[in-house]
Amino acid sequence: MGNDPMVIAANIVLALQTIVSRNVDPSQPAVVSCTEILTDGLRNAIPGNVVIKGDTRSYSKEIQALLEERIRTIVKGVCEAHNASGTVSYTHEFAPTVNTQEYVSLAVEAAVQVVGKENVEDDIQPMMISEDFGAFLQKVPGNFVFFGNGIQKGQGGTPLHSAHYDFNDELLVVGANYFATIAKGALST
């Protein structure tokens, strides 16, 4: 005879998945992900409330604002439809990580000098990563680079966000050489 916040949460999660597909220009990168659901309930009791956690990503401030606005509207609408209430806490923790174009050639050339042209990919598609470095780029120009860590299990080949990840320490000298080469190149221009 009451509201079931789990059913309401399920409706919200499903509705949030339509934000990108129905509100964002398909040529513009955007992501809305629900990644965690928490309740104050028990296995055999309907919870009193549900918390949905997640993440959004885009390169554009306009799209970021659109994502936030649509999330707020959907939560309000779904809750009203179920005679319930909901609140949204939307934080802006990460800035998009977009390299400073004028320094890309310097970063690529340093990599070529250190590891050879055959080991450098200089034209990759943008990635929707979440990284503190984006905040640094708002203050100081620079570039975010990926440094190959290996492909064999136990030698760096385990993905970064795995519980079994282990950095390939043999690459520390190569990495230091790369950054020293960038510094030399930047100082000589």
Side-chain angles (χ1 to χ4, degrees):
M1 299 299 297
N3 285 334
D4 185 342
M6 285 297 288
V7 173
I8 298 167
N11 277 273
I12 290 171
V13 169
L14 289 174
L16 293 177
Q17 299 311 299
T18 67
I19 292 173
V20 173
S21 66
R22 297 297 177 257
N23 297 270
V24 178
D25 179 338
S27 69
Q28 298 296 313
V31 174
V32 174
S33 297
C34 296
T35 57
E36 189 173 11
I37 296 179
L38 307 166
T39 77
D40 64 351
L42 303 169
R43 182 177 55 87
N44 62 343
I46 293 173
N49 70 0
V50 174
V51 175
I52 304 167
K53 293 186 177 188
D55 188 32
T56 65
R57 297 179 188 197
S58 72
Y59 297 128
S60 154
K61 288 182 188 283
E62 294 78 22
I63 292 177
Q64 289 172 3
L66 171 70
L67 298 178
E68 180 177 359
E69 181 274 324
R70 292 300 301 140
I71 289 170
R72 290 183 186 286
T73 300
I74 286 170
V75 169
K76 181 180 181 204
V78 171
C79 286
E80 285 179 358
H82 288 87
N83 197 28
S85 63
T87 59
V88 174
S89 173
Y90 190 101
T91 61
H92 298 269
E93 297 172 45
F94 299 101
T97 302
V98 180
N99 286 340
T100 306
Q101 192 59 40
E102 66 185 284
Y103 296 112
V104 169
S105 60
L106 175 65
V108 169
E109 183 54 37
V112 169
Q113 288 178 36
V114 173
V115 298
K117 187 170 182 58
E118 68 279 2
N119 294 310
V120 176
E121 291 184 48
D122 64 345
D123 187 26
I124 62 171
Q125 291 294 319
M127 297 179 187
M128 299 296 287
I129 59 174
S130 180
E131 178 59 49
D132 291 338
F133 195 73
F136 301 151
L137 290 173
Q138 291 183 334
K139 303 288 183 189
V140 178
N143 286 287
F144 186 89
V145 298
F146 290 100
F147 201 83
N149 194 24
I151 57 174
Q152 296 178 4
K153 210 170 199 173
Q155 193 66 34
T158 303
L160 178 62
H161 292 284
S162 167
H164 305 289
Y165 176 77
D166 183 23
F167 181 77
N168 183 355
D169 293 336
E170 294 175 19
L171 297 175
L172 290 171
V173 173
V174 178
N177 190 11
Y178 171 72
F179 287 113
T181 303
I182 283 182
K184 288 178 195 172
L187 292 171
S188 68
T189 57

